[in-house]
Amino acid sequence: MEKKIQQLKEVTIRFAGDSGDGMQLTGTQFSNTSGTLGNDVNTFPDYPSEIRAPEGTLYGVSAYQIQFGSNLVHTHGNKMDVLVAMNASSLSVNLPKLKENGIIIANSAGFDEKNLNLAKYEENPLLNDSLKNYQLIAIDMESIVGEVLSGLSLSPKETARTKNFFALGLVYWLYDRPTEHTEIWLQQKFAKKPKYLEANLLVLKAGWKFASESELFPVQYQIEKAKLAPGYYRNITGNEAVALGLVSAARKANLPLFLGSYPITPATEILHFISGYKKFGVKHLQAEDEIAGISSAIGAAFAGYLAATTTSGPGLSLKVEAMGLAMILELPLIIVDVQRGGPSTGLPTKPEQSDLLMAMYGRHGEAPLPIVAARSASDCFNMTIEAARIAVKYMTPVILLTDGYIAQGTNPFKVPKLDELPEIPAKYETNPEGFQPYKRDEVTLARPWAIPGTPNLEHRIGGLEKKNITGIVSQGPDNHQLMVELRAKKIEGIANDIPLATVEGEQEGDLLILGWGGTYGAIKDAFDKLHSEGKKISFCHLTHLNPLPRNIGDILAKFKRILVPELNTGQLKLLLQARFMRPILGLNKVQGLPLQEFEVTEKVLELLNEKGGQ
């Protein structure tokens, strides 16, 4: 049949099924292909914390959402245009997030009596009129892949596992995507397993062919390339961006790199990615626990490495005492916290921004540390570089906050050249003349970095308070006061070495939306939409949280009302209120889900209506 072609600017798709249905893989392949074709892309992996939740259950649904388009894409999208549902529960859980008249591509084999009962359906929704407000395309994917692979010596279970690639082929055709990129990936993935390679290639192409020939797909949609700045792009997750940032920072500083970490969701992939960079001299340790991870990194920093440790949630709690040790030792250390829902084990696979106060104050004694936060998956690279720059220049541990959404989601990353990155001048002390372990640089207040084994530079550092300049153990009250104040003054001084905050929209007036971290995309989209409609609002986003940009007080003073959207109960709001002694409004979400554009839009419109103006 003759197919219609329709042009679109952006599309949001969600692949959903059981944890074992390969939805994360399918979504990753689709997003990578779309990024390769020049679309802007943003993704959100949404999966249960159970390693393998019971099949067919509502709480076992795993999903991967992608927004891609010819416009700049800042979030994974609001309501979906397309839902690929591999079983009844995946439809039930995700249907409320689908637009009216949106497309449902359902695997009808996943709607048998057992699956319907697990999804709490009394009737099969594919056979009644409950989905009349949507474009329903029901396909028995398992029967089709069974026929396609009938000539191969595969078990029924092995055959059924390929249905995700059949679904991927369908959606590739629907949005005019070639299969070649995934074919190359399959050839690499199954190079030593030709049987599985052949099966997945056959099924992928069968899905594309089915959609191209079937009357069930009367329209093919096309999306032009996004107008991105010229350069070489690749799709990247936030965790991979952190790993690349660490390797690049070490090269810029001309230092060896060491990562000491303990695996914990959703930060584990940083350790995985780092392990692939051994050819650059990177050393890593998968420690037996969180304390060993950070302690090994402290030892590496003492030995002259650019040292880092990664964690999430309760892992940050376990690192607290060692963070204080690194602070009093005044050694450079990058502490990456991929925030997740808490407290305790909480929501291990879900994003949150609830560690800000922990990062700010979560140590005994007076132990201030610099805190920076990434705003997107690709920005994790930039903020890792910034964390390394501050750590080395000021001889201090630095906390980098990301979250589960941007850490495991993806967006296009413009690959920079090494000479385009900020300089990270690192200098070991080698001159014994006049050397003292706590003799500070006059500008930065950083102490010298003397590497063990350097002739005539023997010195002592440790957890006990040290006498100013000489580093001799001291319990003197006046000396302790002086050292506490010196360490705090060093951190405060970093404000003179970070960018000033900038405001989009009105430079003064009624309402300023102030964001930080991974909420950037949702706030940015809401601001752009409302500002283009003539709403007199403003937007400022923070990447440096301690110290704050030195002009932030002046910015806040120019607005009558400040709104801070956060994935917590108001932590930045609390810090701002305490420091600037003025009320701050909050938009607070703690559902284990990213902030969405419509939530910000609704809150802003509510506030503007309260004001009675635009």
Side-chain angles (χ1 to χ4, degrees), residues 145-198:
V145 299
E147 293 178 9
V148 171
L149 303 180
S150 60
L152 301 182
S153 57
L154 295 175
S155 69
K157 185 176 181 180
E158 289 173 324
T159 298
R161 287 184 64 183
T162 66
K163 64 182 180 289
N164 62 322
F165 277 94
F166 181 83
L168 180 60
L170 293 173
V171 182
Y172 271 162
W173 181 88
L174 186 61
Y175 290 100
D176 196 21
R177 320 271 98 173
T179 61
E180 284 79 6
H181 303 289
T182 296
E183 291 175 30
I184 293 171
W185 180 86
L186 284 168
Q187 289 163 2
Q188 295 171 342
K189 173 72 174 178
F190 295 114
K192 297 182 179 180
K193 298 178 179 179
K195 179 174 66 172
Y196 297 146
L197 171 60
E198 183 181 5

Side-chain angles (χ1 to χ4, degrees), residues 1-4 82-83 101-108 126 134-141 144 166 170-171 173-175 206-221:
M1 64 174 291
E2 185 178 352
K3 307 279 187 170
K4 295 180 180 179
V82 180
L83 171 62
N101 201 41
I103 298 172
I104 300 171
I105 300 175
N107 171 32
S108 59
L126 306 184
Y134 307 96
Q135 300 178 53
L136 174 62
I137 302 172
I139 304 169
D140 188 345
M141 298 185 193
I144 294 174
F166 181 83
L170 293 173
V171 182
W173 181 88
L174 186 61
Y175 290 100
W208 201 96
K209 186 173 185 291
F210 182 93
S212 70
E213 297 176 351
S214 173
E215 295 182 357
L216 295 173
F217 295 87
V219 181
Q220 185 179 55
Y221 302 95

